[in-house]
Amino acid sequence: MTDDEDRLARVALTWLAEPGTRSVHRLVGQWGAGDALDLLLDGGAPDEQLRAAVAARLGAGNPRAVAAEALSRADRLGARLVVPRDDEWPRQVGDLHRLVLPVADRKVDRETAPPLCFWVRGGWPLAEALDRSVAVVGARAATGYGVHVATEIGYGLADRQWTVVSGGAFGIDSAAHRGALSAGGVTVAVLACGVDRPYPMGNTALFDRIADTGLLVSEWLPGSEPLRPRFLIRNRVIAAGTRGSVLVEASARSGATQTMRRALAIERQAMVVPGPVTSAMSVGAHELLREYPKARLVTGIAHVLEEVGRIGADLAEPARGPHRPTDLLDDEAALIRESLPRRGTIGVDALAARAGVDVRTALRKLSLLEELALVVRRPDGYALAQPPARRAGGA
Amino acid sequence: MTDDEDRLARVALTWLAEPGTRSVHRLVGQWGAGDALDLLLDGGAPDEQLRAAVAARLGAGNPRAVAAEALSRADRLGARLVVPRDDEWPRQVGDLHRLVLPVADRKVDRETAPPLCFWVRGGWPLAEALDRSVAVVGARAATGYGVHVATEIGYGLADRQWTVVSGGAFGIDSAAHRGALSAGGVTVAVLACGVDRPYPMGNTALFDRIADTGLLVSEWLPGSEPLRPRFLIRNRVIAAGTRGSVLVEASARSGATQTMRRALAIERQAMVVPGPVTSAMSVGAHELLREYPKARLVTGIAHVLEEVGRIGADLAEPARGPHRPTDLLDDEAALIRESLPRRGTIGVDALAARAGVDVRTALRKLSLLEELALVVRRPDGYALAQPPARRAGGA
């Protein structure tokens, strides 16, 4: 089989059956795309459901002719087809072989085989763009809080030469892309429809900017419509194509949490940004953190880099409050300081008794406190130093 | 030794050395409180530091006389002393025996022995009040968000006959108490100063209300000042006296996170409410969740009850979105519905081809969709049903 025949057959197969269909992927692995296609066209699908689906699709056209038309259409609009034998094929999506979801009642949760091919718009080689990449996913109906956080994370990733990957939706997806674009970084939108068919329409300008400096990617033929099940089928690619996924805001029933479940199932880093418990848009995020011990709570770009960064690099500092002179005090010095009266002075004997330390210790700690300007010595004893005035003209 | 002598000696010992001092607690366990006191008074403290502390304190008065004065003062103000041989002694604080913190650089992190006695103001027997109790702790400088959440949790606990336990600070502590009070429940303030000495002063009215229907509790003698190290010493009692602790808002350097570390160290439930990552008041909460896999993210009273409730009772429903008719659809029915045009009608053959199913299946699923009022049959084919109008007068 020639290279061209393989490409044509892969396109025809994704038109005959939705991407991710396990039985189709198995046939391609066994016989090659061309023979697998012929087998299906001869009514030789291994299961009833696939046989029926193929028969129904055949009523709408000849698969090889549809594929050829799609390839020439892609050519006209500057898109290309990427298949596994190409150098730019992102091999990590092969991990979808072993994606098994704990609960798989729905077809989209079972049919999670690796893609047969990708349609790509944009200048970057696909594998290179996805090599150091992180997905940022979340709610369409994001709040101002979610949009802010997603933009910051998108910016921060791009700023550190990580590629941002997301869908094409309003809300978190768009915010992540915009953040990456504003840092001059690479961002990749993985679509659930043709790469020539921006959905939602309101994001047309954003898609054009992404295609200019990053990539638009889809498994579906140009012209394909964004049918609802396709978003969940697409999500497995976002999970598998990246080093990890960050969830920023999700309601209780959210496709974005499905992306996270897929990331967890193939042992990619699953990172979740918490939010106010009073917000419906954080319910899905909190449920994920409660349900999956492996899902990691992250509060910003530093934590994200720590999770996906190479070992030993990109480690976030644990959060600390500002350093204060009192941080330097040992227990006894702190106790001495606490035992000083708020106002006025106190003699060293009375102070030692109050603090429960001996006089020698009290004197030693008092000189430390003096050095740190926390205590002042006066003719009649020791007193607390006044804290520095907060503002000019203050006490 | 008589009961009265034991009580007097325990008070004298807490005046001589701060509560929680392990060597003192060991001596009491070995010799009884009276003999342990005599040993210390004779200069027989087992370590240099304790010997020096005792010697320094002796300059301020005779311990047995101080203790007798404290007991009669308590009597006058309607407070009582509770010791381990009393029926109302909360035995769970004995778990502090085994409290070992992973990082214990500071004295307050090492000296975490069980209390020798409690001063109590209020009508409830202490053990009974603390039997079904949950601590709610957090920042003094709480935000409106934190105050709201703490009030709700305090209310919800009290409403389900759980006792709320907290400190006496502004912010989260006060909000939790107020929530419990407004539900007519029992709330307990564990103080780091004398029970006759409200701190902060601004909470005087709140303390009086708590003493009326709940309890004010302290390890320190009436009249004792709230020195800073005492708050951390006190926190071990909040952690050990309750079934679990809920943290609502904490900055990076917060005493409340120390309470949580103590709760974790003695295997009490440690529950943490997340918040906006943009808020400095949630930094400590998020760090705890990141650092301790056993710390449990909770978003409200239902989760809290699930953690502390008896097995099989009080289990929270997982968060779910509202039920929709489309939830009832199987994959094929959903696909059929998605394949219908937004406007106008479509014939069954064209629809089957579009959806990739055979015509018989399409017809079967279409009748299901009709039953659910999601699809309507028209003379010229099938059409999507219009969604119900959102508001009166709508489309």
Side-chain angles (χ1 to χ4, degrees), chain A residues 56 107 290 297 327 331 357, chain B residues 56 107 253 290 297 331 357:
Chain A
K107 192 175 165 187
R290 285 174 53 80
L297 185 152
D327 290 349
D331 294 325
V357 303
Chain B
K107 192 176 163 186
R253 52 183 311 141
R290 285 174 53 80
L297 185 152
D331 294 326
V357 302

Side-chain angles (χ1 to χ4, degrees), chain A residues 10-84:
Chain A
R10 284 174 181 273
V11 174
L13 284 166
T14 50
W15 180 74
L16 271 181
E18 286 293 304
T21 304
R22 290 201 175 274
S23 56
V24 172
H25 197 266
R26 254 192 312 269
L27 288 178
V28 171
Q30 218 167 345
W31 308 107
D35 289 352
L37 177 60
D38 287 336
L39 193 79
L40 292 187
L41 296 180
D42 291 347
D47 62 272
E48 176 66 38
Q49 202 174 23
L50 181 58
R51 198 147 51 233
V54 168
R57 282 299 244 178
L58 288 180
N62 175 302
R64 281 198 165 87
V66 169
E69 164 55 26
L71 281 162
S72 68
R73 182 172 174 175
D75 223 32
R76 284 196 302 277
L77 59 93
R80 64 189 184 276
L81 186 77
V82 178
V83 299

Side-chain angles (χ1 to χ4, degrees), chain A residues 52-53 56-57 107 145 225 228 253 274 276-277 283 286 290 296-297 303 319 322 327 331 338 353-354 356-358, chain B residues 53 56-57 107 145 225 227-228 253 274 277 283 286 290 296-297 303 319 322 327 331 338 353-354 356-358:
Chain A
R57 282 299 244 178
K107 192 175 165 187
Y145 166 70
E225 290 180 57
R228 199 173 65 162
R253 49 182 315 139
V277 298
V283 170
H286 295 149
R290 285 174 53 80
R296 194 90 169 106
L297 185 152
H303 288 157
D327 290 349
D331 294 325
E338 291 290 328
R354 206 161 165 180
V357 303
D358 60 283
Chain B
R57 281 299 244 178
K107 192 176 163 186
Y145 165 71
E225 289 179 59
L227 305 180
R228 199 173 63 163
R253 52 183 311 141
V277 297
V283 170
H286 296 148
R290 285 174 53 80
R296 194 89 171 105
L297 185 152
H303 288 156
D327 291 349
D331 294 326
E338 290 291 326
R354 207 164 163 179
V357 302
D358 59 283

Side-chain angles (χ1 to χ4, degrees), chain A residues 287-309:
Chain A
E287 278 299 316
L288 264 182
L289 285 168
R290 285 174 53 80
E291 198 174 335
Y292 294 93
K294 286 200 172 161
R296 194 90 169 106
L297 185 152
V298 296
T299 70
I301 182 65
H303 288 157
V304 172
L305 293 172
E306 182 181 331
E307 294 300 317
V308 298

